[in-house]
């Protein structure tokens, strides 16, 4: 039986309760204090482990602050909760830290926010981070993390933001991520993720921002994207997405920004886009979209940016574009748009950038363009615009870049252009502009690039251009400008005034242009000597074009070590003396053209040191001597065009020289992708301009003078014609398999045409005329399937002309002067002698009768004899060979 103690008895012993209660309270407090201290120690250990993984802390943020002598909660970047005093947030962003992430960071069990963006962390993300069940905010942007995303990401059930932009994460997005249904922000921009966009993404119905841009996703945009009705920002740009823009995109009525640019999307812009009335940014550029710009685009009155460039859009610019009065950026360039620029464009008074270039727009530039006073960039080039440049262009006082090139504009350059004092670029090239360059051009103190080439401008180059102290590119070539070259602006990098009617000498002030990279003064009437300072400028100069003038004297001899010259054109002048050996300092030289001068020198053997040389033109000078003993120090392995024609070279053809021309042989040439001999120059403010190193290069090929505006690296040519070379054609020429033009004409070559020339499978022109070649034409030449021009005339060739393929296209001119050749196309056939026919005296009637009687008798006897022989043959079946011939002929006619 249980015994109950009366309460009165307990009350009778009051001394027992206070010690008991105090002990219980002390024990409870001790447990709590111990647990708290233990938890703080865990957080401290986790953070110190992270600190130990940091190898570079340039600002000593952690080195001096994260110390065990102070509370964790006071450390820089650390936030603790007020209740438990545990670490709840860690922000180390933009501290320039380098290192890896410690796995012990997964022990911060109260951590809800981790922000380490804008550092240099690398390695893989530890899987232990997915143990942080309270985590809501993860930002790892702008680091160098690699590896794949963990398959346990779904453990972070409270995650609202995940940002991993600008890292090196690879693989596929794990399906477990889509269990994080609280996600509102998911950004994996600029990684190396691949595969298709998972359909499970439709589960993230709370998403407001989705950025998967700049990865390697492929396939179509999944239809479940239409489930994400809370989306405000959708970025799928710079992937390999295909198919059409899905109609469900119209469900995303909260969308403010839509970026689908730089993919391979096809089809038309869907009409459902009219539902996206909150849209402010629409980027669909660099796809393969077709059809017209839909009229419903006019409903998107909140649009600030509309980017549709680099597609295949057709039709006219819709008038509803005038409704988009909030537009600041309108990019419709590089499509197939037609019609005129609509007048409603004048409504878009907030426009800052207007790009309509590279279309098929016609008509005049509308006067309403003058309303766009906020415009900074106006690109209308590469269209079919006509008329004059409107005077109202002077209203655009905020304009920085004006591109009207490659149109059909006429009239004068308006003087109102002088109002545009913020202009940095003017490009009016390739139009039909006339008149003089206006003096107000001198007002444009910010001008960096001025392109007026290929017009009909007259008058002199204004002296005020020399005052444009910011000008770096001046291109006035291919006009009708006269007078002398004025003092150029001091910072000029590219100076082109070629193909005009300029006179006088090159001004000495050009020697002050220490930044000059390219100078084109060719095709004028300039005279005098070439300034010696050209050699001193070679540390910056990469291209010099002085050809087709009247320069005399000698080529400057002071090209210094470190010379950067890549292209030197001084052809078609009156220069004498020798080729300066100091050019050997220009190790990067690609092209040297000194043709059509009066240079008197032996072959410049020191050119063998220029291992980048691709084009060498020495034609029509007074070079002399032998080159077969040419000592190749480095060897011209990249040489692919050599023209030594019309000189006085002698001796044997240089076999060793041909042996080292690896650029024209398979083992080098076919490994190199075709490219143009040009280079893009990047200036301040990221402006670009091309230097075309082979511009204006002239060669003789296929009997014609060919002038190149740009030269592909696949053009291979050897021209040694009109010299005094002797001996036989070396067989090694047949190993130059990529050769297109070979001209050895007008020399003293002897011996046979080597059959190895039949290996030149790319050859289009072969000229061996006016030598002393002998023997037969090799039948191997029939293999030259691209041979368009053949000249073997004026030699001592004999035998039959090969028949078939390209040889069936050549005329008598290819073989003239070879008396012992026969066969088509020559009228002389094998075994026929051009004997003088018998002459009959038609006045002698008796002889005429005897002649006719003799012929009749001959025919008669022949007929009787032939019929008799035929009867014997077919009745006896002998001789068998004759029977076979007759039977074969009979069958052939029976088939017909």
């Amino acid at each position: 039986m249980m015994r109950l103690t009366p309460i009165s008895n307990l009350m009778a012993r009051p001394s027992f309760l206070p010690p008991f209660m105090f002990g219980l309270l002390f024990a409870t407090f001790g447990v709590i204090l111990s647990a708290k201290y233990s938890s703080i120690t865990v957080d401290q250990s986790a953070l110190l482990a992270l600190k130990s993984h940091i190898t570079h802390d340039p600002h000593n943020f952690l080195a001096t602050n994260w110390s065990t002598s102070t509370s964790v909660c006071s450390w820089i970047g650390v936030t603790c909760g007020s209740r438990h005093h545990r670490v709840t947030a860690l922000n180390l962003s933009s501290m320039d830290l380098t290192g890896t992430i410690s796995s012990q960071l997964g022990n911060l069990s109260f951590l809800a926010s981790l922000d380490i963006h804008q550092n240099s962390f690398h390695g893989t993300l530890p899987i232990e981070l997915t143990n942080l069940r309270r985590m809501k905010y993860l930002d790892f942007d702008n680091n160098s993390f690699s590896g794949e995303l963990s398959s346990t990401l779904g453990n972070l059930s409270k995650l609202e933001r995940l940002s991993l932009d600008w890292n090196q994460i690879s693989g596929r997005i794990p399906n477990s991520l889509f269990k994080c249904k609280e996600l509102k922000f998911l950004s994996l921009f600029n990684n190396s993720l691949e595969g298709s966009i998972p359909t499970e993404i439709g589960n993230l119905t709370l998403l407001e921002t989705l950025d998967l841009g700049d990865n390697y996703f492929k396939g179509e945009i999944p239809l479940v994207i239409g489930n994400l009705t809370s989306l405000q920002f959708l970025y799928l740009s710079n992937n390999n997405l295909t198919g059409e823009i899905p109609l469900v995109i119209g469900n995303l009525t909260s969308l403010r920004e839509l970026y689908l640019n730089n993919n391979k999307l096809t089809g038309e812009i869907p009409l459902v886009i009219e539902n996206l009335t909150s849209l402010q940014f629409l980027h669909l550029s660099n796809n393969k979209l077709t059809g017209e710009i839909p009229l419903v685009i006019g409903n998107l009155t909140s649009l600030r940016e509309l980017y549709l460039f680099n597609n295949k859009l057709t039709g006219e610019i819709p008038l509803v574009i005038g409704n988009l009065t909030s537009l600041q950026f309108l990019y419709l360039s590089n499509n197939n748009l037609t019609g005129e620029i609509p007048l409603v464009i004048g409504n878009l008074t907030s426009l800052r950038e207007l790009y309509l270039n590279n279309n098929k727009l016609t008509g005049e530039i509308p006067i309403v363009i003058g309303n766009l006073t906020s415009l900074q960039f106006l690109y209308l080039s590469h269209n079919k615009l006509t008329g004059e440049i409107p005077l109202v262009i002077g209203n655009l006082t905020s304009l920085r870049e004006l591109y009207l090139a490659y149109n059909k504009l006429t009239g004068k350059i308006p003087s109102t252009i002088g109002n545009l004092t913020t202009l940095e670029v003017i490009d009016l090239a390739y139009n039909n502009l006339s008149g003089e360059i206006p003096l107000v051009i001198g007002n444009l103190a910010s001008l960096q690039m001025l392109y007026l080439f290929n017009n009909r401008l007259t008058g002199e180059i204004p002296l005020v251009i020399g005052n444009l102290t910011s000008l770096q590119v001046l291109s006035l070539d291919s006009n009708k400008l006269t007078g002398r070259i004025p003092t150029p602006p001091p910072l000029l990098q590219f100076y082109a005034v070629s193909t005009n009617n300029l006179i006088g000498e090159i001004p000495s002030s050009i020697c002050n242009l220490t930044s000059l990279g390219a100078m084109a003064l060719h095709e004028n009437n300039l005279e005098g000597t070439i300034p010696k300072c050209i050699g001193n400028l070679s540390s910056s100069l990469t291209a010099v074009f002085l050809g087709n003038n009247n320069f005399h004297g000698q080529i400057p001899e002071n090209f210094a070590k470190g010379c950067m010259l890549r292209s030197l054109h001084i052809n078609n002048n009156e220069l004498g003396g020798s080729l300066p050996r100091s050019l050997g300092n220009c190790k990067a030289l690609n092209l040297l053209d000194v043709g059509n001068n009066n240079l008197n020198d032996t072959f410049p053997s020191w050119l063998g040191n220029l291992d980048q040389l691709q084009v060498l033109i020495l034609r029509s000078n007074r070079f002399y001597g032998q080159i077969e003993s040419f000592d190749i120090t480095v060897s011209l392995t990249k040489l692919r065009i050599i023209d030594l024609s019309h000189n006085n070279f002698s001796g044997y053809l240089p076999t060793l020289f041909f042996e080292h021309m690896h650029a024209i042989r398979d083992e080098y040439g076919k490994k190199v992708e075709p490219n143009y001999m040009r280079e893009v120059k990047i200036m301040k403010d990221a402006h670009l301009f091309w230097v075309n190193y082979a511009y204006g290069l002239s060669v003789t090929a296929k009997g014609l003078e060919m002038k190149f505006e740009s030269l592909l690296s696949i053009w291979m040519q050897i021209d040694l014609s009109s010299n005094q070379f002797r001996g036989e054609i070396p067989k090694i020429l047949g190993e130059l398999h990529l050769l297109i033009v070979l001209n050895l004409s007008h020399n003293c070559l002897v011996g046979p045409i080597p059959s190895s020339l039949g290996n030149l499978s790319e050859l289009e022109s072969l000229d061996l005329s006016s030598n002393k070649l002998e023997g037969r034409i090799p039948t191997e030449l029939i293999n030259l399937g691209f041979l368009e021009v053949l000249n073997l005339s004026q030699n001592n060739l004999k035998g039959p002309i090969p028949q078939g393929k390209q040889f069936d296209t050549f005329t008598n001119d290819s073989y003239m002067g070879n008396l012992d050749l026969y066969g088509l196309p020559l009228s002389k056939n094998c075994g026929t002698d051009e004997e003088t026919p018998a002459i009959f005296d038609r006045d002698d009637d008796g002889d005429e009768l005897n002649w006719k009687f003799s012929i009749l008798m001959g025919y008669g006897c022949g007929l009787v004899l032939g019929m008799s022989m035929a009867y014997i043959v077919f009745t006896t079946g002998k001789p068998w060979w004759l029977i076979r011939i007759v039977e074969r002929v009979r069958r052939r006619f029976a088939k017909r």
Side-chain angles (χ1 to χ4, degrees), residues 585-770:
N585 293 325
C586 304
K587 303 298 184 183
L589 196 64
N590 287 173
L591 186 151
L592 176 60
D593 186 356
V594 296
N596 293 88
N597 279 288
N598 296 317
L599 298 174
N600 191 349
D601 199 356
T602 57
F603 185 82
S605 58
W606 44 267
L607 285 174
N609 294 319
L610 304 180
D611 61 345
Q612 299 299 313
L613 195 63
Q614 298 181 42
V615 179
L616 175 61
I617 310 290
L618 303 181
R619 72 163 174 265
S620 298
N621 278 284
R622 297 178 183 176
F623 286 100
Y624 61 90
Q626 301 181 11
I627 59 175
E628 73 267 17
S629 58
F630 173 48
D631 180 21
I632 301 178
T633 309
V634 176
S635 76
L636 301 172
T637 56
K638 294 186 179 180
L639 196 65
R640 54 191 178 86
I641 297 178
I642 180 168
D643 187 348
L644 308 182
S645 63
H646 296 276
N647 280 288
N648 295 313
F649 289 116
S650 58
Y652 297 106
L653 290 176
T655 302
L656 187 62
F657 191 92
F658 300 139
E659 188 176 322
H660 284 82
M661 297 182 75
H662 296 300
I664 314 183
R665 301 173 76 159
D666 289 342
E667 53 264 40
Y668 177 85
K670 286 190 176 178
K671 295 177 183 177
V672 178
E673 286 293 324
N675 55 71
Y676 287 99
M677 285 188 67
R678 63 186 184 185
E679 182 182 16
V680 64
K681 295 288 186 179
I682 303 175
M683 303 186 312
K684 295 177 181 178
D685 300 324
H687 286 136
L688 308 176
F689 70 93
W690 285 99
V691 177
N692 189 349
Y693 292 121
Y695 182 80
L697 180 68
S698 179
V699 299
T700 301
K702 304 179 184 180
L704 301 171
E705 190 79 9
M706 298 176 62
K707 189 174 181 179
F708 294 98
E709 287 194 6
S710 55
L711 182 65
L712 263 176
S713 59
I714 58 174
W715 185 266
M716 311 285 183
Q717 177 171 347
I718 295 176
D719 190 345
L720 307 183
S721 63
S722 299
N723 280 285
Q724 299 174 32
F725 290 114
R726 65 179 188 274
E728 296 189 359
I729 298 174
K731 294 178 181 179
I732 196 171
L733 277 173
E735 297 181 15
L736 305 181
H737 298 130
L738 301 178
L739 197 61
I740 293 176
V741 176
L742 176 60
N743 190 348
L744 304 178
S745 66
H746 294 87
N747 280 289
C748 303
L749 301 174
V750 297
I753 299 173
S755 59
S756 62
L757 294 186
N759 298 328
L760 304 180
S761 55
E762 304 294 325
L763 201 65
E764 297 179 16
S765 178
L766 175 61
D767 191 348
L768 306 178
S769 64
S770 298

Side-chain angles (χ1 to χ4, degrees), residues 873-885:
V873 165
F874 284 100
T875 54
T876 64
K878 297 178 181 178
W880 60 270
W881 55 268
L882 181 59
I883 294 296
R884 286 187 179 180
I885 292 173

Side-chain angles (χ1 to χ4, degrees), residues 522-523 544-551 568-575 591 593-597 617 619 621 695-698:
H522 57 284
E523 294 187 23
V544 175
F545 301 83
L546 300 178
N548 292 284
N549 280 291
N550 300 310
F551 295 119
L568 177 59
H569 300 250
I570 49 178
N571 53 296
N572 291 81
N573 281 288
E574 299 171 8
L575 299 168
L591 186 151
D593 186 356
V594 296
N596 293 88
N597 279 288
I617 310 290
R619 72 163 174 265
N621 278 284
Y695 182 80
L697 180 68
S698 179

Side-chain angles (χ1 to χ4, degrees), residues 417-467:
I417 207 166
N419 301 340
L420 311 181
T421 53
T422 58
L423 263 182
E424 297 171 4
V425 180
I426 298 178
D427 189 354
L428 308 180
Y430 274 99
N431 280 289
N432 295 314
L433 300 173
S434 55
E436 299 185 358
I437 301 172
L439 294 177
V440 293
I441 210 89
N443 299 348
L444 310 181
S446 300
L447 199 62
Q448 297 178 28
M449 306 174 77
L450 177 58
Y451 296 101
L452 302 179
F453 62 91
N454 281 85
N455 279 288
R456 299 178 181 177
L457 300 173
T458 55
E460 298 187 0
I461 300 173
L463 296 176
V464 292
I465 282 183
N467 301 334

